[in-house]
Amino acid sequence: APEADALRAVAGTLGAALQRREDERRLLKSEARYRAAVEDQAELLCRTDAEGNLTFANAAFRHFFGLPTSGWQGRRVRVPAQDQPGAAGVGGFVMLQPTEQLTTSEERHEDAAGQSHWLQWSDRPLWDDGGALVGWQSVARDITEAHHAREEKDRLLEELRQALECTAAALSQLVEQRD
């Protein structure tokens, strides 16, 4: 009976070890799929520490800004949320409260080839358990076409407004001349 108990204990230990190994294998496989999905995103994704040093950048971000495949970690970048108008900051960083979670902004950037693009940034501050800012997670998407379309719409509306004002003035003069 003691030998059988010992064998059951060894079998239980081996079974638990094998299960842990299988769980780790599944987790690694899942992490690889997640990493591949993030890398394949068309949006520009990055993460920085509280000082603005890159800790993560996906392929789209690296390509857009001309960063090498490796060796970019620790490069200092500016997260758009760090420059919120009217925000009090230290060293160029916005002093947010831990309840603040997401800011969105539109900014013009040049890509690695020197082409101008409008990017819409969504920046999320990252807090530690004590409420201290430990970094930023940022996602940007190219909205250049939409931005130009909005500018063109605004230009056309202004032209229309001016044309209506001229028409109204001309009609007013015609009415005055009749009277």
Side-chain angles (χ1 to χ4, degrees):
E3 290 174 352
D5 290 341
L7 285 175
R8 277 194 278 286
V10 168
T13 301
L14 284 175
L18 288 173
Q19 183 62 48
R20 270 194 309 277
R21 187 174 185 137
E22 178 62 20
D23 291 346
E24 288 172 3
R25 186 190 65 74
R26 275 195 225 121
L27 180 60
L28 288 173
K29 194 173 182 179
S30 175
E31 286 175 353
R33 282 192 307 267
Y34 177 77
R35 230 178 280 108
V38 168
E39 280 296 320
D40 292 343
Q41 289 295 308
E43 289 84 8
L44 285 58
L45 307 173
C46 75
R47 197 174 257 206
T48 64
D49 61 20
E51 288 74 43
N53 301 306
L54 276 175
T55 59
F56 172 79
N58 74 340
F61 184 98
R62 293 189 311 268
H63 177 75
F64 185 90
F65 289 107
L67 297 175
T69 303
S70 61
W72 50 264
Q73 294 88 349
R75 284 195 182 187
R76 187 161 172 78
V77 295
R78 184 189 55 74
V79 174
Q82 296 166 349
D83 291 333
Q84 288 181 17
V90 177
F93 288 87
V94 172
M95 304 306 290
L96 298 172
Q97 298 301 314
T99 56
E100 297 181 69
Q101 291 300 313
L102 187 67
T103 59
T104 303
S105 62
E106 293 181 8
E107 291 192 357
R108 186 187 325 230
H109 290 271
E110 282 190 10
D111 65 15
Q115 297 291 319
S116 182
H117 296 266
W118 280 93
L119 298 179
Q120 181 182 59
W121 289 91
S122 295
D123 303 301
R124 181 175 303 281
L126 304 172
W127 310 100
D128 67 12
D129 292 338
L133 181 66
V134 294
W136 296 89
Q137 180 171 293
S138 300
V139 178
R141 63 185 183 100
D142 192 333
I143 58 164
T144 304
E145 288 183 26
H147 188 83
H148 290 316
R150 192 169 56 231
E151 286 177 336
E152 179 66 7
K153 178 193 78 166
D154 291 346
R155 184 189 67 76
L156 291 171
L157 284 173
E158 179 57 24
E159 283 182 16
L160 181 59
R161 186 192 62 75
Q162 289 177 4
L164 287 172
E165 283 181 4
C166 288
T167 302
L171 287 173
S172 178
Q173 285 180 350
L174 284 173
V175 168
E176 286 178 15
Q177 289 174 358
R178 278 192 186 174
D179 294 339

